[in-house]
Amino acid sequence: MTPTDRSVPGVRERNRAAVMAAVLAAGRRQLATVGAAALSLRAVARETGMVSSAVYRYVASRDELLTLLITESYDDLGAAVEVAAARHPAGSAARFVGAARAIRSWAVAHPHEYALLYGSPVPGYAAPATTIEAGTRATRVLVEVVGDAARDGTLRPSPTGELVGPLPRRLAPDLARVGEFAGEHLADELVVAVLMAWTQLFGLVSFEVFGQLANSIEQPALLFDAAAATAAASLGLS
Amino acid sequence: MTPTDRSVPGVRERNRAAVMAAVLAAGRRQLATVGAAALSLRAVARETGMVSSAVYRYVASRDELLTLLITESYDDLGAAVEVAAARHPAGSAARFVGAARAIRSWAVAHPHEYALLYGSPVPGYAAPATTIEAGTRATRVLVEVVGDAARDGTLRPSPTGELVGPLPRRLAPDLARVGEFAGEHLADELVVAVLMAWTQLFGLVSFEVFGQLANSIEQPALLFDAAAATAAASLGLS
DNA sequence: TGTACATCAGTGAACGCGCGTTCACTGATGTAC
DNA sequence: TGTACATCAGTGAACGCGCGTTCACTGATGTAC
């Protein structure tokens, strides 16, 4: 119980936190410029003004740095989506569209980070389980909107849900698992509709960010807004 | 006009074609095992049983090899989709679903090639315009089904099309450009619905191939079939 | 408050690696007369 | 049909590069008495 025991962190500890932050920032900058596959510890060291071996005081390996950056990025995206959603009433179509637009905006603003999260896996790197918790935040927001609407009774019968044909039994556990995200029981057909909306919106974002629309769609933002609004309507949101 | 003028290609020419094929095959194998970012000319040379510099007799640079492989892959996918579609009547929902399933099957069977075509761009590589022609084949099949149904008058009013709200004027040129793929005039709302189905199906495939469904969906094939059938119905196909 | 020791951040050199690409060369295939 | 020359495929050595990671070290910060 010395005076400094649990009080203000010492110089060393503060420095450590500051340098760690600088390392992560350099990592993020690397990511933004050259992408995950080309991210190198030596470049991070260079940009932080340290000798390459010094980085190992802060990060055990290149893979660990990647993992930290992935988690950070998922959280950054998740926070952006949650903030956007919070501007609209729970269970509303506007909230769904707001969340969807936040996903797209973030992706367009951070293409390499988006690629790290939702693009081709980085060769030779396997994301540890640590990242999956953070990875669900953005998606959870979309699903919760539908769950909230169902709970509040404001959900109209889903037009898409009605189109879904008879579903195979073996799909039931999967749908139940996804349905839990909603915090409310959802019909299997509705869960499929949610999954379709989810993959549709991310598919469109991926096509835009990865350049697949380059020769056909010049106004991806407008197309995305139309798609998001249509998706919300197709889920029965209003 | 010597006897050998336009007749059988000489030994050299035949060898050249054979070795070129071996180089491409090795490139494809590389792609399948380590992915595009890690593809190296030296590895291709090793696998072909040549010294590294010899590859330069067949390919001007690593980038050129990548371009060749991209074109090949697009064509491979395109051919698979066209064959699958041809098994069903023009303009039918079955044809749409068959084409969609062929896309997924090919992607699952060739994950690295799929990643090369539809995943994150390869760092430092810009695909030349040469590849875009081949790149449209698979997509064209999907759009044509709708165009054929419209021409034959078998297309019911699209349920999704009706949900699409008023579309911004500035989106019109984009929609017209995409609509041309159909070979028949399609209403703007229907084109949006087609784009949504297209991005939905590729989005689902990407999520599966890139591991995004790993912790929630154990039966992606069943989910995909349900999604494809629903998409076809939502376009008014039958 | 002062001293002796332990902890830790950052240095600098080195390891072994694989890469893309160039270049001068040898020897076989093809061509012109 | 035979010879002289040109073309071309493949070799082997070398270039310069950047990478991840290890290791023994110095000097500053922190801790125990």
Side-chain angles (χ1 to χ4, degrees), chain B residues 104 108 203-214 219-221 224:
Chain B
R104 175 180 170 273
V108 170
L204 190 46
V205 169
S206 292
F207 269 7
E208 175 179 357
V209 173
F210 299 158
Q212 221 67 35
L213 305 179
Q219 303 289 339
F224 184 86

Side-chain angles (χ1 to χ4, degrees), chain A residues 70 151 238:
Chain A
I70 287 178
R151 176 167 32 71
S238 55

